[in-house]
Amino acid sequence: MAANKPRTTSFSRNFSAASSTAPQAPGLKHGPNGTMFLSSGIPDLDKILGGGFALGSLVMVMEDPEAPHHMLLLRNFMSQGLVHHQPLIYASSAKDPRGFLGTLPNPMVPKDDKSRVHETEQEKGLRIAWQYKKYFGEHNSESQRDGKSEYCSDFDLRKPLERHFFSGQRIDCVSLKESADLATFQENCSSFLSQTPRDTGNIAGGRIAIQSLCSPQCEFSNKDWEMLSFVRSLKSLVRLSNAVAVITFAPSLVSTAFSKRLQHLADTLVSVKAIPDEDKELAKLLTGYQDMVGLLSVHKVARINTQVPAILEATTFSMKLQKRRSLILECLNQAPVDGSNGTSYASSGSCSGSSKTGGALDF
Amino acid sequence: MAEWICRTLRDGGLEGEHAPALTINDTITCPLGSFVFDHFLSQLSSFIFCQKSQSNGIVLVALSRSPLYYEQLLKSKGFDLVTSSTWFKILDCYTDPLGWRSKLVESGSIRNLSSGSSLAVNICKNVKDLDELLSSILELGRELSGGGKGRFTVAIDSVSALLRHTSVSSVASLVSNLRSHDQVSSLFWLLHLDMHETRGTAALEYMSSMKATIEPMVQSVDGPRGNSENLSLMEQNLRRGKFCVRVKRRNGRVRMMFEEFYVEKSGIKFTPLSSENEMTAQSLVPKVQFNLELSEKERNDRAKVVLPFEHQGNGKTIQIYDGRKSLNDGKAETQPTSVQKVDSNRGEIIYFRDSDDEMPDSDEDPDDDLDI
């Protein structure tokens, strides 16, 4: 097309070599401002964050002590790394962290996806105007690619990750239970990261997953400054070495001042919240309450190499397990209430419906 | 709902899962936690005695009350003390928690160390060493479960007493070790909330799967001041209270249940809550700026607003006050409209016609003037 049309302006698009070739690894993709993204393992979350987790960023997840949703996020994150053969280091306060690897989900078999598409079209009680149906079709067809080269796989939470993904991988599991302080773990991380290649020709993208950093069983849990300086040094290590670190912590276990400091250190900050069970008020307020397991709020999105902030249309999403298999995030469909102090990014009320593609529609 | 909790503790945890853990919290305003603890202990004992539960026995870590008290409790509930050692064992951390009495016995100042109870007790002499405490608990549990196969329940009389002697992280680590141990079927403990910093209580809440809080029925406004109404309120709070439970379910939702309870001579009675309480579900969900629901007052006001149409639909043609007519001319005419306006003193729509000269629906096409 460009060859036929005469140039109307003196500017021409310069397809430089770097952006035209896809990155060697299927698990990475180019983002704006010279950043690269790797997938979080949850397609909806990638869309919300504008592509995924930026390489070199520190992601912090604020847990709710009453719900295990942060484990869902961690599981998808770790599985995605293993599927894309990215090196992984996992730390938790359990005696045997290797056991957690047994709970990682397997990518969904493509057969199941097709049936999902048909059902979405039939199940929809909404009557979609004809001109919008074509956009729905596009969304679905985009994700129906060959499973191997997909940037973000759909994970089936009921099936454990197949053995062949674990072989030939750099997977380190560290237990933080017996350590009196975080110094040894910090050394572990720096040696792990020094082994991930840094030159642009051969980026693999390393993943660090730390579960429940402030959990009270660890001796260092009352040494707030130590934990803070550990996170700070990890952030700088990660920034230098093209990796992504996901740390979960429960804000109620540290004092509010330290919780705030930890939140400020994060490049991307997300929190999960439990919802009350069998609550009639909430059932009236939200549609699809029966399928919801929790709420996910995005507080900050990493912006590397740019000063422009990311303004999201909606910051709170409901977490649902579709057919108890895959995790989807949806905008809240809530009945309008007294909007006395609503933010200017109020959650979009009715437009997204119960779309399986989640998020907002692009018109 | 207390029944529900007892059943959950009785059924225990599944293979490979952490054991359910209940924390009973109370405060000085309603210090009935120990009664609730005794209630759960006796309920579980009856389940275990009738062999209806997953666990074969209870290991009780007695820190704030002596084994003698528990002996009397069991006797009052009708259990036979002689055979109780097959399913009920006490780790006595009350008689000599720091080992001082045994030092005195060694030096000859006092004669013996027994607690005076006929129950099978193991005495713990160093409460500060939680690893040793853990191994003593597990050893007692092994004796109960017949060495290996069976499971047992652990009850800790007061974690507050443990927190006095050791750090939060070691107590949390003890609890998590117990929860993750294969042979422990369920676990419950008592905690006095106002005796510790928020960090300690938050850590224990984090480690538990069910949280039962005892709150006073009516909060007294002035606190511990001694005027007459306060005293009667305080007295009431020593006999009855509200029992609020938050359960963390496997699917990640939180179930909340409320009940009232009365402490009587024979024990505790739980009754469903008499007054409904408001759930603030709206605090979880972000606020939206639209308000599509009108209150009664708003609906009335809406009905009273005069619409700026020429025909109001009630058989009369009403002229809307037109700002361009001079007052002298239109006085007679504007009288009726001004009367109309006075009625609707809340909602007014002021409508100025665009052009007075133009008849509505004129044949002219204003676009004819354009010259393209």
Side-chain angles (χ1 to χ4, degrees), chain A residues 63 65-69 95 177 212 215-218 221-222 224 250 252-254 273-279 281-282 285-286 289-290 292-293 295 316 332 334 336-342, chain B residues 167-170 172-173 176-177 180 198-199 202-208 211 246-256 278-293:
Chain A
E63 305 169 13
E66 293 180 322
H69 301 313
K95 236 181 296 192
K177 201 166 153 67
S212 302
S215 79
Q217 302 122 288
C218 307
S221 59
N222 55 354
D224 290 328
S252 58
L253 294 175
V254 284
K273 215 164 153 43
I275 51 172
D277 198 19
E278 290 170 27
D279 186 345
E281 286 279 330
L282 216 54
L285 218 57
L286 298 169
Y289 168 74
Q290 288 83 4
M292 276 170 55
V293 290
L295 296 173
T316 309
L332 289 181
Q334 57 181 90
V337 291
D338 258 322
S340 41
N341 50 351
Chain B
S167 67
V168 174
S169 63
S170 36
S173 139
S176 85
N177 283 334
S180 52
T198 41
R199 204 158 194 168
L204 281 165
E205 273 177 32
Y206 184 81
M207 314 279 349
S208 67
K211 180 174 84 153
R246 289 180 79 98
V247 179
K248 300 178 197 177
R249 296 189 62 199
R250 271 192 208 105
N251 60 4
R253 287 181 171 196
V254 175
R255 188 141 172 228
M256 291 184 278
E278 299 285 312
M279 284 310 309
T280 46
Q282 297 185 4
S283 58
L284 279 177
V285 155
K287 295 219 183 287
V288 175
Q289 282 181 326
F290 307 110
N291 182 10
L292 293 183
E293 288 179 358

Side-chain angles (χ1 to χ4, degrees), chain A residues 115-126:
Chain A
S115 61
R116 190 180 126 186
V117 171
H118 286 304
E119 281 176 39
T120 55
E121 288 176 12
Q122 284 166 10
E123 272 177 4
K124 278 202 162 67
L126 289 173

Side-chain angles (χ1 to χ4, degrees), chain B residues 19 87-88 107 147 192 203 220 248 260 265 276 289 292:
Chain B
W87 54 269
F88 189 79
S107 71
H192 304 295
S220 68
K248 300 178 197 177
E260 283 183 16
K265 247 191 171 158
E276 286 301 308
Q289 282 181 326
L292 293 183

Side-chain angles (χ1 to χ4, degrees), chain A residues 236-293:
Chain A
S236 56
L237 280 174
V238 153
R239 185 66 67 92
L240 288 175
S241 58
N242 287 325
V244 173
V246 174
I247 303 183
T248 75
F249 74 102
S252 58
L253 294 175
V254 284
S255 63
T256 32
F258 278 99
S259 161
K260 267 293 166 195
R261 286 183 167 110
L262 284 171
Q263 290 171 45
H264 280 306
L265 273 179
D267 291 317
T268 301
L269 182 65
V270 155
S271 71
V272 285
K273 215 164 153 43
I275 51 172
D277 198 19
E278 290 170 27
D279 186 345
K280 294 192 188 71
E281 286 279 330
L282 216 54
K284 268 191 282 181
L285 218 57
L286 298 169
T287 59
Y289 168 74
Q290 288 83 4
D291 304 320
M292 276 170 55
V293 290

